[in-house]
Amino acid sequence: MLKQPDFGQRLRALRLASGLSQADLAGGTISTGYLSRLESGARPPTARVIAHLSERLGLPLSAFESEQASSLAQVLASVTSASEADLTELLVEALQSDGEQAPALRWQALWLLARMRDTQGRHEDEHALLLELTDLSDRLAAPELQARVATRLARCVRILGDIDQARDYAAKAVELTTTLSVSDRVAALHELVSAEAEGGRLAEASAHADDLCKLTEAGGGSAYTKALWASATVCIRRGAHAEARDALERALESLDSREDLHLWMRLRLAAASLYLQVTPPQTGQARQRLDEIGPVLDLIGTELHRQQALSLRAHLAYDEGDLATARELCAEAEAMGMWLSFRDRIRLEALQSKLAILDGQAESGVLKLKELAQQAQEQHNVDLAADIWRSVAEILANMREAQV
């Protein structure tokens, strides 16, 4: 029988793999406090307790006998039953004690953990994990793994605001997918289009968006929907609003909510955002799309999706002249912490600055807008910087007129 602390480590891994809480496993026979001390290694188990635990877990007593505890293989086997919070902690512990004995298993564990950090909005942590995955993929000499990591890195650094680096990673991913599956190439092209569009390389982004649509049109489904979405985004950045509306409407019509409810919701968030970025803003269409996702957002939305919706409703209220509601929604979105991407965060802060100017804080509001425009410019987010500089110019012009 294992001794402490190995017994406690094994017990905790088995409990999580079975999807049980400490209260579930205790079953009223032992206290959760005692169980917690067992798992931490602070208390030695008795024969009676071990028998109780094996019965509750539905496992033989041999489950607590010598064998490497909490190995990567064991942790990965628990993916389908453990909660994300428990699994994240298990993965971190297992990766720290693994010693890189099994590179393929380590790659899988790092990949899962990176995805969890993305979901949690911890993109700096995700970035560090993806860099380790890059080295590991090169050591494994697996082109498909190298391509997938480069694609994820492109998305991660784009969210963090490094557009040039995002474009480099995406270009590398596209190059690696030449001989790989269509799905890998589509994913890489998506990231390349996004990075080029945000970096102001609109001719290149438009050409790659066309490639993306051609690559996915025959198969249809969600892949084609996403390609149309990417094309609409590039059209908005080019100022081709009619083309953007056409691509966007085709994307919205091409996807049934029963096919992919998550994508259906995200697409409507993106549609609302694009409608509010055209000149003049199409507030009616934006409101329609935001109203459509209300029940779905409550059902499957993440903190990121909720903050995106709040931010968009704040922009909508501002464009409709409802400044009190815009202020309330900005405050509510800000209170959530920051889940938004670099671009969306800058747009929300710019809106808050414009509201501050209308509240009489002209000097500090204009100064903040200039800082935000500079941040966007430094990250080569050209169209975003241009939008903010335009706002600064309009506000200064209005202020001069008011003084005359």
Side-chain angles (χ1 to χ4, degrees):
M1 196 64 61
L2 288 167
K3 303 294 184 183
Q4 290 289 29
D6 292 337
F7 177 88
Q9 293 173 0
R10 174 65 57 77
L11 173 60
R12 184 171 183 277
L14 292 173
R15 175 175 64 78
L16 294 176
S18 299
L20 298 176
S21 67
Q22 287 188 337
D24 292 332
L25 183 55
T29 301
I30 59 177
S31 71
T32 55
Y34 175 64
L35 182 58
S36 178
R37 290 191 290 275
L38 280 177
E39 290 190 353
S40 69
R43 291 290 298 273
T46 65
R48 180 181 175 185
V49 166
I50 293 172
H52 168 74
L53 295 172
S54 64
E55 180 181 352
R56 296 290 294 175
L57 290 166
L59 297 171
L61 293 174
S62 59
F64 296 103
E65 293 175 357
S66 304
E67 185 183 337
Q68 182 185 358
S70 194
S71 67
L72 276 179
Q74 185 177 4
V75 172
L76 291 172
S78 71
V79 168
T80 57
S81 56
S83 72
E84 183 173 300
D86 286 335
L87 182 57
T88 300
E89 190 175 341
L90 267 178
L91 281 171
V92 171
E93 291 175 357
L95 283 165
Q96 289 173 345
S97 61
D98 169 59
E100 302 193 34
Q101 296 297 313
L105 283 176
R106 186 174 183 82
W107 192 97
Q108 188 178 355
L110 285 167
W111 181 259
L112 286 169
L113 187 55
R115 287 176 57 184
M116 291 173 191
R117 295 307 189 210
D118 173 38
T119 302
Q120 296 161 356
R122 296 173 57 177
H123 297 295
E124 294 286 358
D125 292 341
E126 179 195 7
H127 183 238
L129 292 164
L130 289 170
L131 289 178
E132 184 177 350
L133 274 164
T134 300
D135 293 338
L136 195 52
S137 300
D138 291 343
R139 283 165 47 197
L140 290 168
E144 65 276 13
L145 301 186
Q146 293 170 319
R148 289 165 194 167
V149 173
T151 299
R152 293 288 299 190
L153 262 170
R155 178 181 180 276
C156 180
V157 298
R158 178 170 57 82
I159 289 173
L160 290 170
D162 192 340
I163 304 303
D164 282 349
Q165 188 72 73
R167 190 177 63 251
D168 290 344
Y169 281 129
K172 175 185 176 182
V174 169
E175 183 179 353
L176 285 166
T177 57
T178 303
T179 58
L180 299 180
S181 69
V182 171
S183 61
D184 281 324
R185 187 163 186 80
V186 165
L189 271 172
H190 265 293
E191 288 306 324
L192 184 57
V193 170
S194 296
E196 288 171 340
E198 291 198 21
R201 296 174 176 250
L202 298 180
E204 297 169 43
S206 184
H208 285 127
D210 288 344
D211 291 342
L212 194 55
C213 288
K214 291 174 185 175
L215 192 61
T216 57
E217 186 173 10
S222 61
Y224 185 50
T225 298
K226 292 177 182 177
L228 289 169
W229 173 3
S231 180
T233 302
V234 175
C235 289
I236 285 287
R237 305 279 169 79
R238 290 195 293 112
H241 295 164
E243 291 179 46
R245 283 193 296 271
D246 178 63
L248 192 56
E249 292 301 328
R250 281 190 289 149
L252 290 164
E253 292 169 4
S254 69
L255 184 69
D256 191 311
S257 61
R258 292 169 295 184
E259 181 181 348
D260 188 334
L261 186 58
H262 189 265
L263 176 59
W264 184 91
M265 175 188 67
R266 289 172 54 226
L267 182 60
R268 275 152 180 77
L269 283 168
S273 179
L274 292 178
Y275 285 135
L276 292 173
Q277 291 180 60
V278 301
T279 305
Q282 298 184 359
T283 55
Q285 291 93 326
R287 179 174 293 281
Q288 176 188 350
R289 297 311 178 188
L290 288 172
D291 288 345
E292 284 175 348
I293 66 167
V296 178
L297 191 65
D298 292 336
L299 182 65
I300 64 169
T302 64
E303 291 297 289
L304 168 61
H305 300 137
R306 294 187 183 92
Q307 192 171 49
Q308 285 175 331
L310 281 171
S311 176
L312 289 171
R313 286 197 178 277
H315 284 287
L316 175 61
Y318 179 85
D319 289 333
E320 291 179 333
D322 187 353
L323 302 185
T325 298
R327 291 185 188 95
E328 291 174 6
L329 291 169
C330 281
E332 191 175 346
E334 187 176 20
M336 293 180 65
M338 194 46 66
W339 296 84
L340 298 175
S341 67
F342 173 84
R343 181 184 181 84
D344 288 342
R345 175 177 60 79
I346 294 292
R347 290 188 70 236
L348 179 60
E349 291 185 19
L351 175 59
Q352 291 172 308
S353 298
K354 287 188 281 188
L355 287 168
I357 291 168
L358 292 173
D359 287 338
Q361 303 170 43
E363 186 175 346
S364 60
V366 169
L367 180 61
K368 181 62 176 179
L369 281 173
K370 290 180 177 179
E371 290 175 357
L372 293 171
Q374 189 64 38
Q375 286 181 41
Q377 203 164 309
E378 288 172 356
Q379 295 300 334
H380 305 286
N381 216 310
V382 180
D383 68 306
L384 178 59
D387 284 344
I388 300 174
W389 282 123
R390 191 178 304 114
S391 294
V392 172
E394 290 173 356
I395 290 167
L396 291 175
N398 291 337
M399 290 170 63
R400 282 194 295 269
E401 287 181 9
Q403 292 171 353
V404 174

